[in-house]
């Protein structure tokens, strides 16, 4: 039986000022193994993925991923207020509200419009694959963004923030997070999409992983943008060319919990 991870059971990591490639490899592998567990997401260590796990729908996963910004407890409270069963069962908001809440930069009306747009889409995977065409993650994201925008009559600033602006310099953290969930298959990620290669995935770079990557010397770029995503992903391929993004969840936890100075 797996031991339950808690903030108290996790130890702070001792890292030299300029860690070697060998040190980094062993550190990344060790932390991946530690956090690659169903028990790595629990009441003490919550994550939006824990809610997405409860459903079989990639539409629910995308909804959870795109609202995964801000304080994790606030994210979970909002997601738990939503009728995600309706999204999984393709039940229109005409008969049941998605939620009566607002969330940070999105009004209730904007959330409802996004919910309805997701219901109108047929296969998220097929839409993604049209743009992906074998290797372009960015093309696949663009394809999904365009498909959703096309089903929204009034594109507001709140919806632009939620969905992202096509072809911007944004790190696209929440989109890459969704793809990590859907493509990778281990004890943490869902692995429901089988036609996308893990070697093509991009790191879902957030402020925690950005800071930790800089501290470890995995990332030289000082600007938090899409170029930083490409740089850190390329660096992680030196440790696992076939699955560089497998280290993301551990890097995120290390940063979130302050396990490195």
């Amino acid at each position: 039986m797996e031991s339950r991870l808690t903030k108290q059971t996790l130890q702070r990591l001792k890292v030299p000022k300029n860690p070697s490639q060998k040190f980094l490899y062993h550190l990344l592998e060790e932390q991946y193994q530690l956090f690659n567990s169903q028990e790595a997401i629990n009441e003490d260590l919550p994550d939006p993925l824990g809610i997405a796990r409860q459903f079989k729908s990639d539409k629910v996963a995308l909804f959870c991923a795109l609202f995964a910004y801000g304080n994790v407890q606030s994210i979970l409270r909002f997601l738990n207020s939503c009728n995600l069963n309706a999204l999984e069962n393709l039940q229109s908001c005409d008969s049941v509200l998605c939620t009566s809440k607002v969330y940070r930069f999105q009004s209730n009306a904007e959330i409802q419009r996004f919910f309805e747009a997701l219901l109108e889409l047929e296969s998220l995977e097929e839409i993604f694959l049209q743009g992906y065409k074998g290797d372009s993650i960015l093309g696949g994201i663009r394809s999904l963004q365009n498909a959703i925008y096309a089903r929204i009559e009034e594109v507001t600033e709140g919806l632009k923030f939620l969905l992202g602006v096509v072809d911007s310099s944004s790190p696209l953290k929440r989109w890459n997070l969704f793809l990590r969930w859907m493509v990778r298959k281990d004890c943490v990620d869902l692995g429901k999409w089988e036609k996308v290669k893990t070697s093509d995935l991009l790191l879902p770079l957030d402020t925690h992983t950005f800071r930790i990557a800089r501290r470890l010397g995995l990332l030289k770029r000082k600007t938090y943008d899409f170029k930083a995503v490409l740089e850190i992903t390329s660096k992680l391929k030196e440790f696992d060319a076939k699955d560089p993004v497998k280290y993301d969840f551990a890097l995120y936890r290390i940063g979130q919990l302050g396990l490195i100075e």
Side-chain angles (χ1 to χ4, degrees), residues 118-176:
L118 280 180
L119 286 172
E120 290 178 19
L121 296 176
E122 292 190 10
S123 168
L124 295 188
E125 185 176 13
E126 288 305 316
I127 294 169
F128 178 84
L129 291 173
Q130 289 171 14
Y132 172 65
K133 295 178 182 175
D135 64 355
S136 176
I137 289 294
L138 195 59
I141 293 173
R142 187 186 300 117
S143 183
L144 278 171
Q145 285 176 319
N146 287 334
I148 296 170
Y149 277 126
R151 286 159 178 80
I152 297 174
E153 288 186 13
E154 182 185 359
V155 177
T156 58
E157 289 304 311
L159 286 168
K160 285 181 183 177
F161 181 91
L162 181 67
L163 299 172
V165 179
V166 177
D167 295 324
S168 70
S169 61
S170 165
L172 296 170
K173 173 253 179 176
R174 290 168 290 133
W175 280 101
N176 285 317

Side-chain angles (χ1 to χ4, degrees), residues 62-88:
L62 180 57
F63 190 93
C64 291
L66 290 186
F67 280 104
Y69 73 94
N71 175 274
V72 66
Q73 295 295 347
S74 298
I75 296 168
L76 297 183
R77 277 195 299 271
F78 168 71
L79 292 177
N80 282 320
S81 81
C82 297
N83 191 340
L84 298 177
N85 285 306
L87 187 54
E88 181 167 53

Side-chain angles (χ1 to χ4, degrees), residues 24 203 205-236 239:
L24 289 173
L203 193 81
L205 189 67
D206 73 351
T207 54
H208 294 301
T209 50
F210 179 77
R211 177 173 58 83
I212 291 302
R214 292 264 307 151
R215 166 65 181 88
L216 293 174
L218 296 168
L219 178 63
K220 303 299 182 186
R221 188 169 178 80
K222 297 179 180 179
T223 306
Y224 176 65
D225 59 8
F226 190 69
K227 288 184 179 179
V229 173
L230 296 178
E231 182 185 324
I232 181 63
T233 304
S234 177
K235 181 63 178 179
L236 291 176
F239 304 103

